[in-house]
Amino acid sequence: MPIDATKPYDESNIFARILRGELPCTKVYENEFALAFNDIKPAAPVHILVIPKGPYVSWDDFSARGSAEEIAGFVKAVGHVAREAGLVEPGYRLLANVGMNGGQEVPHLHVHIFGGAGLGPMLAR
Ligand code: DGP
């Protein structure tokens, strides 16, 4: 069920619980700005989620309230994870769903990194 991305941050969301170590994840990378882990329901041979450490509901929230340091650190972490996964030469796709029409289900910003195969058209038609 997609979320309303204008709602305040919910500390009990599943990715907040992963960040606090209350729930497990298959960690791919972590630094002071970001945590990256494999998606539990992969939609491509490589499907990694990268989340900021701070409490941001969505890309909208992060771009509005995140500090320049957090935003730069997060963007760099996404690039680092994709490079380390060997995705640059074959290519990959980034996706951040926002709110209802975007189909966002977890109310903590996450960027999907998809790769490992040709990914087809950008959106289903
Ligand atoms: P989105 O629709 O953009 O909000 O995508 C949410 C993604 O999060 C979806 O691909 C499945 C993934 N996901 C949901 N719960 C968990 C979890 O507990 N662990 C992991 N690793 N991924 C999860």
Side-chain angles (χ1 to χ4, degrees):
M1 177 74 172
I3 60 119
D4 175 352
T6 66
K7 290 266 168 63
Y9 187 79
D10 171 7
E11 294 283 352
S12 69
N13 81 76
I14 208 148
F15 292 170
R17 297 184 64 198
I18 286 175
L19 274 175
R20 291 195 295 267
E22 295 166 9
L23 292 174
C25 71
T26 307
K27 190 194 296 187
V28 171
Y29 177 72
E30 181 170 19
N31 70 6
E32 69 179 297
F33 299 107
L35 174 69
F37 50 94
N38 288 325
D39 195 290
I40 207 166
K41 247 176 76 182
V46 177
H47 186 172
I48 300 167
L49 301 173
V50 191
I51 67 175
K53 289 269 174 100
Y56 298 103
V57 175
S58 69
W59 184 268
D60 174 69
D61 189 23
F62 190 52
S63 59
R65 292 196 303 111
S67 69
E69 192 187 23
E70 287 174 303
I71 291 170
F74 180 69
V75 169
K76 281 184 166 290
V78 174
H80 177 81
V81 169
R83 277 191 298 280
E84 288 296 301
L87 298 179
V88 177
E89 192 274 325
Y92 64 100
R93 181 172 295 160
L94 301 180
L95 177 72
N97 294 319
V98 179
M100 304 286 242
N101 280 358
Q104 181 181 359
E105 298 205 326
V106 180
H108 182 114
L109 168 62
H110 45 288
V111 168
H112 298 254
I113 302 177
F114 299 107
L119 296 165
M122 189 166 63
L123 293 173
R125 293 180 193 279

